[in-house]
Amino acid sequence: MAEEKKQNQLNIELDESIADGTYSNLAIINHSVSEFVVDFVNIMPGQPKTKVKSRIILTPQHAKRFLKALHDNVSRFENAHGEIKDYEQSPIPLNFGPTGQA
């Protein structure tokens, strides 16, 4: 049993350059038949221009798994800390950001 459990473990390394993370307060999501593209952006007040800080490309299956995992984690967070308040209206203009193509 312990041998079987050992075979199912995945060793994931976290590089120092990635460990600090990248702050994002906007995600732009586009998709095609074969992939989902998530661009993470950091918008600063008073700055009319910004750049994509990170891009993640997922298969549709992984995008669905990610959605479920994120939903589960948000639910656990809210159970522990209370409801996360959402903006009634987005503080970001609707015409902001690139149009997607894949």
Side-chain angles (χ1 to χ4, degrees), residues 44-64:
M44 297 304 288
Q47 298 293 322
K49 187 175 181 181
T50 189
K51 292 183 179 181
V52 171
K53 299 296 182 183
S54 181
R55 171 174 278 186
I56 305 297
I57 303 169
L58 305 159
T59 65
Q61 293 80 10
H62 282 111
K64 192 164 189 176

Side-chain angles (χ1 to χ4, degrees), residues 69-85:
L70 187 58
H71 180 270
D72 291 348
N73 276 270
V74 168
S75 293
R76 281 187 278 168
F77 178 92
E78 289 183 327
N79 287 338
H81 304 286
E83 181 184 356
I84 299 170
K85 303 292 184 206

Side-chain angles (χ1 to χ4, degrees), residues 2 17 20 24 29 31 34 37 51 55 67 75 79 86-87 91 100:
S17 63
D20 286 339
S24 171
I29 304 171
H31 67 276
S34 59
V37 179
K51 292 183 179 181
R55 171 174 278 186
L67 174 66
S75 293
N79 287 338
D86 198 3
Y87 297 109

Side-chain angles (χ1 to χ4, degrees), residues 4 8 12 18-19 21-22 26 32 36 44 60-61 74 79 101:
E4 183 180 314
N8 291 332
I12 299 174
I18 300 296
T22 300
L26 175 67
S32 70
F36 279 73
M44 297 304 288
Q61 293 80 10
V74 168
N79 287 338
Q101 292 184 14

